[in-house]
Amino acid sequence: GAQTVRGWDFLFEKYSTALFITEKIQMQAALTITRNKEKLQWLMDQSLLDDVIKIQDLPYIVVSIGRNPSANSMAWHFVKKNWDKLLQKFELGSNTVAHLVTGVTKLYSTRDKLEEVTEFFNSLKENGSQLRCVQQAKETIEENIRWMDKNFDRVKTWLENNKV
């Protein structure tokens, strides 16, 4: 699988030569769940270059990496670092930008992350702070915070008592 460098390289080679979109999508998903941060960064960088990996695959790749527990912060950092480049490739207010913003921040559940997301988008002014997807992302984080406040101790206790 994609958990070793050799397995990841093998899978990427298969991805590169796959003819059917369904195969490519499955392999793309597998490539994004590795713990190898260099490979994940390379995937995001290559998709932005629109060469080895097509630009239309970038949102799916970045959001999938954002759902990878060992790499969530990488996806958010990539979006922040490359915001201007992303807006050159995808129109501000587009579904693609909305998918990136909401997809990468969807799992955030702390006040620190909410503050970080808010500060980043507030710093953009006309380049993103007023986007509906930013409001949706912040609302989702707030909902996640409320859920954690309400349920974290209960879930933690249950897990400790049931040794799952």
Side-chain angles (χ1 to χ4, degrees):
Q3 295 308 310
T4 65
V5 171
R6 189 169 171 214
W8 195 94
D9 290 343
F10 173 80
L11 187 59
F12 184 77
E13 183 61 36
K14 292 293 182 187
Y15 167 82
S16 299
T17 59
L19 300 176
F20 299 106
I21 191 71
T22 53
E23 287 180 344
K24 281 186 111 72
I25 290 170
Q26 290 173 333
M27 287 185 254
Q28 227 175 43
L31 289 166
T32 64
I33 59 172
T34 184
R35 290 189 178 124
N36 185 320
K37 293 186 182 198
E38 291 82 22
K39 295 293 186 183
L40 294 171
Q41 188 63 51
W42 184 85
L43 262 181
M44 291 188 291
D45 291 342
Q46 289 302 310
S47 61
L48 188 58
L49 293 175
D50 193 23
D51 183 25
V52 178
I53 300 169
K54 297 297 174 202
I55 190 71
Q56 68 260 22
D57 295 332
L58 180 141
Y60 178 81
I61 287 170
V62 175
V63 169
S64 294
I65 291 171
R67 291 182 182 146
N68 177 337
S70 63
N72 179 269
S73 60
M74 285 181 68
W76 171 237
H77 179 75
F78 178 84
V79 169
K80 290 190 309 183
K81 178 182 169 197
N82 294 291
W83 184 253
D84 291 333
K85 290 178 189 173
L86 292 168
L87 293 185
Q88 290 172 5
K89 305 279 185 181
F90 308 106
E91 192 174 326
L92 183 66
S94 67
N95 287 338
T96 303
V97 170
H99 178 64
L100 276 168
V101 170
T102 57
V104 168
T105 59
K106 184 177 190 169
L107 298 179
Y108 289 167
S109 59
T110 66
R111 286 167 182 79
D112 287 344
K113 281 296 183 186
L114 176 61
E115 185 177 328
E116 184 181 334
V117 169
T118 300
E119 285 177 7
F120 172 71
F121 285 109
N122 284 348
S123 75
L124 299 176
K125 298 183 179 36
E126 73 279 349
N127 278 342
S129 65
Q130 301 304 315
L131 291 175
R132 176 68 190 132
C133 64
V134 172
Q135 288 309 115
Q136 290 171 325
K138 291 180 351 187
E139 288 167 8
T140 299
I141 298 168
E142 289 167 350
E143 288 173 23
N144 292 345
I145 291 168
R146 282 190 294 277
W147 190 93
M148 290 293 285
D149 287 347
K150 181 180 177 184
N151 297 299
F152 180 80
D153 289 334
R154 189 177 341 164
V155 171
K156 181 180 174 194
T157 299
W158 186 89
L159 289 171
E160 290 170 349
N161 291 339
N162 291 286
K163 302 289 183 215
V164 173

